[in-house]
Amino acid sequence: MQYIKKIIVADHAGFCFGVKRAVDISLNIKKQDGGSVYTLGPLIHNDDVVNFLKAQGISQISIDDLCRLGEKDAVVIRSHGVTPETLKRIKRTGAQVIDATCPYVASIQLKVKKYHAKGYQIIIVGDKNHPEVIGINGWCGNTAIVTRDGTDLGSLPDKVCIVAQTTEKLSNFEKVVEAASKSGTEVLTFNTICSATKERQGSADEVSKKVDLMIVIGGKNSSNSKKLYDICRTNCTSTIFIENAGELPDWVTESKDIETVGVTAGASTPDWVIQEVLARLEKGLEAEQKGSISTIDVDRKDE
Ligand code: SF4
Protein backbone atom coordinates (compact mmCIF):
# COMPACT_ATOMS: atom_id res chain seq x y z
CA MET A 1 0.00 0.00 0.00
CA GLN A 2 1.33 3.42 -0.91
CA TYR A 3 0.12 6.70 0.52
CA ILE A 4 1.75 9.64 -1.27
CA LYS A 5 -0.88 12.01 -2.64
CA LYS A 6 1.15 14.95 -3.85
CA ILE A 7 4.69 15.70 -4.97
CA ILE A 8 5.89 19.30 -5.11
CA VAL A 9 9.08 20.04 -7.04
CA ALA A 10 10.78 23.31 -6.08
CA ASP A 11 11.20 25.97 -8.74
CA HIS A 12 14.88 26.51 -9.45
CA ALA A 13 15.98 22.97 -8.63
CA GLY A 14 18.96 21.34 -10.32
CA PHE A 15 21.54 22.63 -12.78
CA CYS A 16 22.22 26.35 -12.73
CA PHE A 17 23.02 28.17 -15.95
CA GLY A 18 26.81 27.99 -15.51
CA VAL A 19 26.91 24.27 -14.68
CA LYS A 20 24.56 23.33 -17.50
CA ARG A 21 26.69 25.36 -19.90
CA ALA A 22 29.90 23.62 -18.74
CA VAL A 23 28.37 20.15 -19.15
CA ASP A 24 26.92 21.02 -22.59
CA ILE A 25 30.26 22.44 -23.75
CA SER A 26 32.06 19.27 -22.63
CA LEU A 27 29.58 16.93 -24.31
CA ASN A 28 29.71 18.89 -27.56
CA ILE A 29 33.46 18.49 -28.01
CA LYS A 30 34.07 16.10 -30.84
CA LYS A 31 37.59 14.73 -31.14
CA GLN A 32 38.20 13.08 -34.46
CA ASP A 33 41.99 13.21 -34.44
CA GLY A 34 42.66 10.55 -31.81
CA GLY A 35 43.10 13.07 -28.99
CA SER A 36 41.42 12.83 -25.60
CA VAL A 37 39.13 15.25 -23.76
CA TYR A 38 39.82 16.01 -20.10
CA THR A 39 38.28 18.23 -17.47
CA LEU A 40 40.65 19.94 -15.07
CA GLY A 41 39.38 18.29 -11.88
CA PRO A 42 35.80 17.00 -11.60
CA LEU A 43 33.61 19.13 -13.87
CA ILE A 44 31.00 19.34 -11.12
CA HIS A 45 30.48 17.85 -7.68
CA ASN A 46 28.20 15.04 -8.76
CA ASP A 47 29.44 11.47 -9.20
CA ASP A 48 26.59 10.53 -11.56
CA VAL A 49 27.61 13.29 -13.96
CA VAL A 50 31.33 12.56 -13.62
CA ASN A 51 30.66 8.86 -14.38
CA PHE A 52 28.40 9.80 -17.29
CA LEU A 53 31.15 12.03 -18.76
CA LYS A 54 33.66 9.21 -18.27
CA ALA A 55 31.40 6.87 -20.23
CA GLN A 56 31.46 9.47 -23.03
CA GLY A 57 35.28 9.39 -23.00
CA ILE A 58 35.73 12.59 -20.94
CA SER A 59 37.95 11.97 -17.92
CA GLN A 60 39.59 14.15 -15.30
CA ILE A 61 43.14 15.37 -15.19
CA SER A 62 44.82 17.02 -12.22
CA ILE A 63 47.10 20.03 -12.41
CA ASP A 64 50.05 17.81 -11.48
CA ASP A 65 49.41 15.52 -14.44
CA LEU A 66 49.28 18.21 -17.14
CA CYS A 67 52.62 16.92 -18.47
CA ARG A 68 50.69 13.88 -19.80
CA LEU A 69 48.83 16.09 -22.30
CA GLY A 70 49.63 16.17 -25.98
CA GLU A 71 48.75 18.57 -28.81
CA LYS A 72 45.75 16.50 -29.87
CA ASP A 73 44.17 16.63 -26.42
CA ALA A 74 41.65 19.16 -25.14
CA VAL A 75 41.16 20.39 -21.56
CA VAL A 76 37.90 21.85 -20.31
CA ILE A 77 38.10 24.58 -17.65
CA ARG A 78 35.15 24.09 -15.29
CA SER A 79 32.62 26.74 -14.33
CA HIS A 80 34.68 27.81 -11.25
CA GLY A 81 37.40 29.17 -13.54
CA VAL A 82 41.18 29.09 -12.97
CA THR A 83 44.13 31.44 -12.52
CA PRO A 84 45.92 32.93 -15.57
CA GLU A 85 48.98 30.87 -14.56
CA THR A 86 47.00 27.64 -14.80
CA LEU A 87 45.73 28.67 -18.23
CA LYS A 88 49.32 29.31 -19.33
CA ARG A 89 50.45 25.93 -17.99
CA ILE A 90 47.81 24.13 -20.03
CA LYS A 91 48.61 26.15 -23.16
CA ARG A 92 52.31 25.29 -22.81
CA THR A 93 51.43 21.60 -23.20
CA GLY A 94 50.04 22.38 -26.67
CA ALA A 95 46.62 21.00 -25.73
CA GLN A 96 43.49 22.89 -26.74
CA VAL A 97 41.94 24.93 -23.92
CA ILE A 98 38.15 24.88 -23.80
CA ASP A 99 37.07 27.55 -21.35
CA ALA A 100 33.74 26.72 -19.68
CA THR A 101 34.25 29.28 -16.89
CA CYS A 102 30.79 30.58 -15.95
CA PRO A 103 30.42 34.05 -17.51
CA TYR A 104 29.45 35.42 -14.07
CA VAL A 105 32.74 34.15 -12.63
CA ALA A 106 34.70 35.41 -15.65
CA SER A 107 33.20 38.84 -15.07
CA ILE A 108 34.56 38.86 -11.48
CA GLN A 109 38.00 37.82 -12.75
CA LEU A 110 38.02 40.77 -15.18
CA LYS A 111 36.91 43.25 -12.48
CA VAL A 112 39.64 42.02 -10.16
CA LYS A 113 42.26 42.33 -12.90
CA LYS A 114 41.09 45.85 -13.83
CA TYR A 115 40.98 47.32 -10.34
CA HIS A 116 44.19 45.63 -9.24
CA ALA A 117 45.87 47.36 -12.22
CA LYS A 118 44.34 50.67 -11.03
CA GLY A 119 46.00 50.27 -7.65
CA TYR A 120 43.08 48.96 -5.58
CA GLN A 121 43.66 46.32 -2.90
CA ILE A 122 41.30 43.51 -3.86
CA ILE A 123 39.18 41.94 -1.10
CA ILE A 124 37.33 38.70 -1.88
CA VAL A 125 34.50 37.68 0.44
CA GLY A 126 34.49 33.89 0.41
CA ASP A 127 36.28 30.66 1.25
CA LYS A 128 40.02 30.89 0.58
CA ASN A 129 40.17 27.16 -0.26
CA HIS A 130 37.33 27.19 -2.78
CA PRO A 131 38.54 26.74 -6.40
CA GLU A 132 36.51 29.74 -7.58
CA VAL A 133 38.20 32.03 -5.03
CA ILE A 134 41.65 30.60 -5.78
CA GLY A 135 40.99 31.27 -9.48
CA ILE A 136 39.77 34.85 -8.93
CA ASN A 137 42.75 35.65 -6.69
CA GLY A 138 45.06 34.62 -9.52
CA TRP A 139 43.74 37.52 -11.62
CA CYS A 140 45.28 40.02 -9.19
CA GLY A 141 48.57 38.17 -8.85
CA ASN A 142 47.39 36.31 -5.71
CA THR A 143 47.45 39.57 -3.73
CA ALA A 144 43.81 39.61 -2.59
CA ILE A 145 42.72 39.65 1.02
CA VAL A 146 40.27 36.76 1.35
CA THR A 147 37.86 37.07 4.25
CA ARG A 148 34.63 35.47 5.38
CA ASP A 149 33.18 38.25 7.51
CA GLY A 150 35.67 41.14 7.63
CA THR A 151 36.85 40.48 11.21
CA ASP A 152 40.38 39.77 9.97
CA LEU A 153 40.90 42.71 7.59
CA GLY A 154 43.69 44.43 9.54
CA SER A 155 44.83 47.88 8.37
CA LEU A 156 43.84 48.66 4.80
CA PRO A 157 45.55 50.76 2.11
CA ASP A 158 43.99 53.95 0.60
CA LYS A 159 41.57 52.20 -1.71
CA VAL A 160 40.00 48.75 -1.76
CA CYS A 161 37.76 46.89 -4.21
CA ILE A 162 35.45 44.26 -2.69
CA VAL A 163 33.96 41.33 -4.64
CA ALA A 164 32.28 38.12 -3.42
CA GLN A 165 32.45 34.42 -4.23
CA THR A 166 29.31 33.78 -6.30
CA THR A 167 27.80 31.46 -3.67
CA GLU A 168 28.61 33.64 -0.64
CA LYS A 169 25.92 34.74 1.83
CA LEU A 170 24.78 38.34 1.38
CA SER A 171 25.09 38.98 5.14
CA ASN A 172 28.83 38.14 4.99
CA PHE A 173 29.35 40.48 2.03
CA GLU A 174 27.58 43.28 3.91
CA LYS A 175 29.68 42.69 7.03
CA VAL A 176 32.90 43.02 5.02
CA VAL A 177 31.71 46.19 3.28
CA GLU A 178 30.79 47.67 6.66
CA ALA A 179 34.12 46.74 8.25
CA ALA A 180 36.12 48.18 5.31
CA SER A 181 34.04 51.37 5.27
CA LYS A 182 34.80 52.03 8.94
CA SER A 183 38.53 52.10 8.19
CA GLY A 184 38.24 55.42 6.35
CA THR A 185 39.59 53.98 3.11
CA GLU A 186 37.99 54.46 -0.34
CA VAL A 187 35.74 51.43 -0.82
CA LEU A 188 34.55 50.22 -4.21
CA THR A 189 32.05 47.33 -3.97
CA PHE A 190 30.71 44.81 -6.46
CA ASN A 191 28.04 42.46 -5.13
CA THR A 192 28.94 39.48 -7.32
CA ILE A 193 26.76 36.92 -5.49
CA CYS A 194 24.92 34.86 -8.11
CA SER A 195 21.13 34.89 -8.05
CA ALA A 196 21.01 31.12 -8.82
CA THR A 197 22.04 30.34 -5.24
CA LYS A 198 19.48 32.68 -3.70
CA GLU A 199 16.67 31.39 -5.93
CA ARG A 200 17.41 27.73 -5.12
CA GLN A 201 17.52 28.43 -1.42
CA GLY A 202 14.34 30.55 -1.53
CA SER A 203 12.23 27.94 -3.32
CA ALA A 204 13.59 25.07 -1.17
CA ASP A 205 12.63 27.09 1.90
CA GLU A 206 9.14 27.69 0.55
CA VAL A 207 8.43 24.05 -0.44
CA SER A 208 9.86 22.49 2.72
CA LYS A 209 7.33 24.42 4.82
CA LYS A 210 4.43 22.66 3.08
CA VAL A 211 5.38 18.97 3.04
CA ASP A 212 5.52 15.88 5.26
CA LEU A 213 8.85 14.81 3.78
CA MET A 214 11.46 16.86 1.91
CA ILE A 215 13.98 15.23 -0.42
CA VAL A 216 17.19 17.07 -1.34
CA ILE A 217 19.03 15.52 -4.28
CA GLY A 218 22.69 16.35 -4.58
CA GLY A 219 26.26 15.07 -4.73
CA LYS A 220 27.84 14.16 -1.40
CA ASN A 221 30.57 16.80 -1.98
CA SER A 222 28.22 19.51 -3.19
CA SER A 223 28.28 22.37 -0.69
CA ASN A 224 25.29 24.16 -2.27
CA SER A 225 23.21 20.94 -1.94
CA LYS A 226 24.23 20.63 1.72
CA LYS A 227 23.10 24.23 2.29
CA LEU A 228 19.72 23.34 0.74
CA TYR A 229 19.47 20.37 3.11
CA ASP A 230 20.17 22.62 6.13
CA ILE A 231 17.48 25.10 5.05
CA CYS A 232 14.88 22.35 4.46
CA ARG A 233 15.73 20.57 7.71
CA THR A 234 14.96 23.78 9.62
CA ASN A 235 11.40 23.76 8.24
CA CYS A 236 10.81 20.03 7.96
CA THR A 237 12.51 17.62 10.36
CA SER A 238 11.75 14.78 7.92
CA THR A 239 14.28 15.91 5.32
CA ILE A 240 16.54 13.41 3.59
CA PHE A 241 19.62 13.96 1.41
CA ILE A 242 20.12 11.51 -1.44
CA GLU A 243 22.46 11.43 -4.42
CA ASN A 244 20.15 9.58 -6.81
CA ALA A 245 17.01 7.41 -7.11
CA GLY A 246 18.92 4.33 -5.94
CA GLU A 247 19.35 5.97 -2.53
CA LEU A 248 15.63 6.67 -2.04
CA PRO A 249 14.60 4.54 0.94
CA ASP A 250 11.57 2.23 0.52
CA TRP A 251 9.90 3.63 3.64
CA VAL A 252 9.25 6.90 1.78
CA THR A 253 6.58 5.28 -0.37
CA GLU A 254 5.44 2.86 2.33
CA SER A 255 4.84 5.25 5.23
CA LYS A 256 1.24 6.14 6.13
CA ASP A 257 2.45 9.46 7.55
CA ILE A 258 3.76 10.84 4.25
CA GLU A 259 1.11 12.30 1.98
CA THR A 260 2.95 15.29 0.55
CA VAL A 261 6.56 15.07 -0.61
CA GLY A 262 8.78 18.01 -1.62
CA VAL A 263 11.75 17.67 -3.93
CA THR A 264 14.66 20.01 -4.58
CA ALA A 265 18.14 19.56 -5.99
CA GLY A 266 21.49 21.32 -5.89
CA ALA A 267 22.97 23.31 -8.78
CA SER A 268 25.12 20.35 -9.77
CA THR A 269 22.28 17.79 -9.95
CA PRO A 270 21.33 16.89 -13.53
CA ASP A 271 17.73 16.80 -14.64
CA TRP A 272 17.84 13.09 -15.45
CA VAL A 273 18.68 12.27 -11.81
CA ILE A 274 15.74 14.41 -10.61
CA GLN A 275 13.43 12.68 -13.11
CA GLU A 276 14.51 9.22 -11.91
CA VAL A 277 13.68 10.17 -8.32
CA LEU A 278 10.31 11.57 -9.42
CA ALA A 279 9.57 8.38 -11.35
CA ARG A 280 10.14 6.31 -8.21
CA LEU A 281 7.98 8.64 -6.14
CA GLU A 282 5.27 8.66 -8.76
CA LYS A 283 4.98 4.92 -8.33
CA GLY A 284 4.13 5.76 -4.72
CA LEU A 285 1.15 7.95 -5.58
CA GLU A 286 -2.09 6.42 -4.38
CA ALA A 287 -3.93 4.41 -7.03
CA GLU A 288 -6.57 7.09 -7.56
CA GLN A 289 -3.84 9.68 -8.15
CA LYS A 290 -2.10 7.66 -10.85
CA GLY A 291 -2.33 9.27 -14.25
CA SER A 292 -3.15 12.53 -12.52
CA ILE A 293 0.16 14.15 -13.27
CA SER A 294 -1.30 17.53 -12.33
CA THR A 295 -0.75 16.59 -8.70
CA ILE A 296 2.94 16.96 -9.41
CA ASP A 297 4.17 20.51 -9.65
CA VAL A 298 6.80 20.18 -12.34
CA ASP A 299 6.53 23.78 -13.39
CA ARG A 300 10.23 24.43 -12.89
CA LYS A 301 11.70 27.49 -14.53
CA ASP A 302 14.90 27.09 -16.52
CA GLU A 303 17.51 29.76 -16.02
S1 SF4 B 1 26.06 29.34 -9.30
FE1 SF4 B 1 25.93 31.16 -10.64
S2 SF4 B 1 28.07 31.78 -10.90
FE2 SF4 B 1 28.12 29.69 -10.17
S3 SF4 B 1 28.17 28.44 -12.02
FE3 SF4 B 1 26.02 28.63 -11.45
S4 SF4 B 1 25.28 30.40 -12.65
FE4 SF4 B 1 27.53 30.49 -12.64
Side-chain angles (χ1 to χ4, degrees):
M1 183 66 184
Q2 298 163 332
Y3 303 92
I4 297 173
K5 290 188 174 142
K6 186 171 183 182
I7 303 165
I8 307 173
V9 182
D11 284 348
H12 307 292
F15 274 2
C16 64
F17 155 78
V19 166
K20 181 174 186 310
R21 180 175 170 273
V23 172
D24 288 347
I25 287 173
S26 306
L27 291 174
N28 283 330
I29 301 166
K30 303 273 179 267
K31 294 298 283 177
Q32 283 155 346
D33 53 6
S36 301
V37 180
Y38 296 95
T39 62
L40 188 59
L43 190 65
I44 58 175
H45 288 140
N46 185 290
D47 287 345
D48 286 312
V49 175
V50 169
N51 291 336
F52 175 74
L53 290 170
K54 205 169 170 187
Q56 312 300 310
I58 304 169
S59 44
Q60 294 176 49
I61 192 162
S62 74
I63 197 120
D64 296 329
D65 287 333
L66 290 179
C67 54
R68 281 177 25 214
L69 293 170
E71 287 184 1
K72 290 181 177 173
D73 297 327
V75 180
V76 181
I77 306 297
R78 56 192 179 177
S79 57
H80 294 320
V82 293
T83 66
E85 286 69 33
T86 300
L87 277 178
K88 275 186 211 149
R89 277 183 69 178
I90 301 171
K91 282 179 185 162
R92 274 202 295 270
T93 67
Q96 184 188 1
V97 177
I98 303 195
D99 192 355
T101 305
C102 176
Y104 300 140
V105 176
S107 154
I108 306 173
Q109 294 172 342
L110 290 180
K111 279 187 179 67
V112 159
K113 183 181 175 190
K114 178 177 169 184
Y115 287 99
H116 173 62
K118 287 181 178 232
Y120 284 80
Q121 167 66 54
I122 304 296
I123 298 176
I124 306 171
V125 186
D127 172 0
K128 66 180 185 329
N129 298 316
H130 193 283
E132 180 190 309
V133 172
I134 293 168
I136 292 169
N137 197 2
W139 290 82
C140 59
N142 301 308
T143 62
I145 297 170
V146 182
T147 179
R148 218 54 217 252
D149 56 10
T151 50
D152 49 356
L153 284 181
S155 64
L156 294 172
D158 292 346
K159 47 187 190 177
V160 299
C161 169
I162 307 177
V163 297
Q165 184 179 337
T166 54
T167 50
E168 190 51 74
K169 280 192 200 158
L170 180 62
S171 56
N172 283 347
F173 180 74
E174 288 170 344
K175 278 183 201 162
V176 176
V177 172
E178 193 186 341
S181 302
K182 278 184 188 155
S183 70
T185 192
E186 179 194 333
V187 180
L188 184 62
T189 62
F190 294 102
N191 177 353
T192 51
I193 298 168
C194 174
S195 60
T197 307
K198 202 172 130 218
E199 287 163 354
R200 261 156 201 71
Q201 293 181 353
S203 51
D205 182 52
E206 194 185 320
V207 172
S208 57
K209 285 176 182 156
K210 300 176 186 164
V211 295
D212 302 315
L213 173 84
M214 189 72 197
I215 300 172
V216 179
I217 315 168
K220 295 283 182 284
N221 297 322
S222 162
S223 60
N224 79 81
S225 303
K226 282 183 204 152
K227 277 184 198 154
L228 290 180
Y229 172 79
D230 291 341
I231 289 167
C232 295
R233 185 87 172 70
T234 310
N235 298 326
C236 175
T237 49
S238 297
T239 297
I240 59 172
F241 188 115
I242 59 171
E243 190 150 2
N244 50 43
E247 292 187 2
L248 187 69
D250 289 339
W251 58 259
V252 168
T253 51
E254 290 166 2
S255 169
K256 280 185 182 172
D257 299 325
I258 301 171
E259 290 194 351
T260 307
V261 177
V263 177
T264 190
S268 48
T269 306
D271 202 48
W272 84 76
V273 170
I274 301 172
Q275 292 307 325
E276 281 170 7
V277 172
L278 290 177
R280 272 203 65 194
L281 288 173
E282 203 186 332
K283 280 188 197 152
L285 286 173
E286 281 192 326
E288 62 266 30
Q289 306 290 342
K290 288 204 169 143
S292 169
I293 197 87
S294 61
T295 58
I296 301 179
D297 176 2
V298 288
D299 182 24
R300 297 179 20 246
K301 298 175 183 76
D302 288 325
E303 294 173 315

